[in-house]
């Protein structure tokens, strides 16, 4: 299997919208950003089309992954010492290079960058670290035209009815998937950003966004929850639904005319449970 060099960083995301995790890695000699598409069986193949698109941007010091244009898929921001470039995703893993998205101040060099919504307008902002004549941290507000169809929500394990928790109160560990029409995208935040609302756009016209967009939450305790028809442009507090993840499993058999109940399987179990089940099953079969 081909080795993947990620000396300067790497992430796992579904970047081509096929529901499988891909690997994005920055490293090697010379340093290059490469995309490896996952096959769902632990194998990854290099995406040559991505390599050709990213090559003109030149060597990068680092990269960030975010939905820059808020169309429901993940884009990339690359930065080197003098400027930054954007790779805009069309949702199917085909990227367009936009060069010189931002420049370092005169006499300075870029040492780090971050993309996140820092002013609460659901649009990613740019946080830039510079070193040189004047060491400084710069904040550039993000703008999207036409207006964003993003929606944000803050998950919490505090149940709305009884105010008790089965999952962490902060929502840590919830697995989130956003679906709009035939499009699907995991949208769970990285571990260091769980305390922030999760913003996501579905790439639909504003008047259709609220009715056709679904959010599936898989809570750490096993509860699966669907939220729909959430108004766009707002941050919604989503509490875990109060429901049991399952009941005790039961076993039925077909006797030739109808189904008959054989037994249930208590969660606590105990010595003799398996033998007891086998005896009852054999008796049921003897009557058919």
């Amino acid at each position: 299997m081909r080795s993947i060099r990620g000396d300067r960083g790497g992430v796992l995301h579904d970047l081509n919208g096929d529901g499988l995790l891909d690997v994005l890695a920055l490293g090697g000699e010379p340093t290059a950003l490469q995309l490896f598409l996952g096959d769902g069986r632990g194998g990854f193949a290099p995406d040559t089309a991505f390599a050709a698109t990213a090559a003109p941007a030149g060597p990068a010091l680092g990269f960030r992954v975010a939905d820059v244009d808020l169309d429901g898929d993940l884009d990339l921001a690359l930065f080197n010492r003098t400027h930054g470039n954007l790779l805009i995703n069309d949702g199917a893993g085909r990227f367009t290079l936009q060069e010189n998205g931002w420049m370092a101040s005169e006499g300075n060099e870029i040492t780090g960058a971050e993309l996140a919504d820092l002013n609460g307008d659901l649009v990613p902002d740019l946080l830039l670290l510079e070193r040189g004549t004047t060491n400084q941290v710069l904040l550039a507000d993000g703008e999207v035209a036409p207006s964003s169809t993003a929606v944000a929500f803050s998950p919490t394990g505090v149940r709305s009815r009884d105010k008790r928790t089965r999952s962490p109160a902060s929502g840590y560990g919830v697995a989130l998937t956003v679906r709009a029409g035939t499009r699907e995208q995991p949208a769970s935040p990285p571990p260091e950003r769980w305390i922030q609302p999760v913003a996501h756009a579905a790439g639909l016209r504003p008047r259709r966004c609220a009715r056709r967009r679904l959010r599936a939450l898989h809570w750490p305790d096993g509860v699966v929850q669907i939220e729909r028809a959430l108004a766009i442009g707002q941050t919604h507090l989503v509490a875990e639904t109060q429901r049991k993840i399952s009941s005790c499993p039961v076993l039925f058999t077909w006797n030739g005319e109808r189904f008959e109940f054989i037994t249930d399987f208590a969660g606590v179990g105990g010595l003799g449970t398996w033998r007891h089940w086998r005896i009852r099953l054999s008796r049921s079969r003897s009557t058919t």
Side-chain angles (χ1 to χ4, degrees):
M1 181 175 119
R2 178 173 177 174
S3 62
I4 298 177
R5 291 283 299 272
D7 316 28
R8 294 184 177 273
V11 293
L12 277 168
H13 284 296
D14 175 18
L15 292 170
N16 60 356
D18 64 356
L20 305 175
L21 288 176
D22 310 309
V23 173
L24 189 68
L26 178 64
E29 291 293 341
T31 302
L33 183 66
Q34 294 182 286
L35 175 60
F36 298 86
L37 301 178
D39 61 8
R41 300 183 300 273
F44 296 89
D47 185 341
T48 55
F50 176 86
T53 301
L61 291 176
F63 69 93
R64 294 294 182 268
V65 179
D67 187 0
V68 176
D69 54 0
L70 291 175
D71 64 350
D73 49 57
L74 295 174
D75 310 303
L76 311 175
L78 317 178
F79 65 91
N80 55 33
R81 297 187 186 281
T82 60
H83 64 280
N85 303 299
L86 295 175
L87 285 168
I88 302 300
N89 191 354
D90 69 352
R94 296 182 292 266
F95 290 83
T96 301
L97 176 63
Q98 295 185 3
E99 298 184 89
N100 301 325
W102 64 88
M103 305 292 293
S105 304
E106 185 175 353
N108 283 1
E109 65 177 21
I110 299 171
T111 59
E114 185 58 87
L115 284 170
D117 175 24
L118 299 174
N119 59 6
D121 64 355
L122 308 187
V123 179
D125 307 306
L126 174 66
L127 191 67
L128 205 61
L129 279 68
E130 294 188 351
R131 178 179 60 193
T133 304
T134 304
N135 296 335
Q136 56 187 353
V137 178
L138 301 176
L139 175 61
D141 293 339
E143 297 180 357
V144 175
S147 59
S148 168
T149 59
V151 64
F153 61 95
S154 181
T156 176
V158 179
R159 299 185 302 202
S160 56
R161 185 185 305 174
D162 57 10
K163 305 303 180 183
R164 301 174 65 182
T165 62
R166 287 173 55 99
S167 297
S170 65
Y172 182 88
V174 63
L176 165 69
T177 302
V178 178
R179 301 185 182 97
T182 60
R183 301 182 64 178
E184 177 177 300
Q185 182 74 341
S188 301
E192 69 274 10
R193 287 168 57 183
W194 274 106
I195 60 173
Q196 298 179 350
V198 183
H200 196 84
L204 299 174
R205 293 193 294 273
R207 68 174 181 270
R208 298 174 61 190
C209 255
R211 358 179 241 182
R212 294 189 55 192
R213 187 182 306 164
L214 299 176
R215 289 156 200 83
L217 299 94
H218 195 148
W219 296 92
D221 65 354
V223 168
V224 177
Q225 180 175 341
I226 302 296
E227 295 291 333
R228 60 183 302 173
L230 298 181
I232 62 175
Q234 300 179 22
T235 299
H236 302 268
L237 180 66
V238 179
E240 181 177 7
T241 299
Q242 184 180 4
R243 75 163 63 101
K244 296 179 180 180
I245 60 174
S246 66
S247 182
C248 296
V250 295
L251 179 65
F252 288 81
T253 188
W254 179 254
N255 67 6
E257 296 180 356
R258 64 181 186 276
F259 283 102
E260 288 188 12
F261 172 75
I262 296 178
T263 187
D264 60 0
F265 302 84
V268 292
L271 292 175
T273 300
W274 171 243
R275 183 170 179 267
H276 174 66
W277 174 78
R278 293 186 62 187
I279 291 173
R280 296 190 67 176
L281 178 60
S282 63
R283 287 175 180 173
S284 177
R285 283 179 173 172
S286 65
T287 61
T288 60

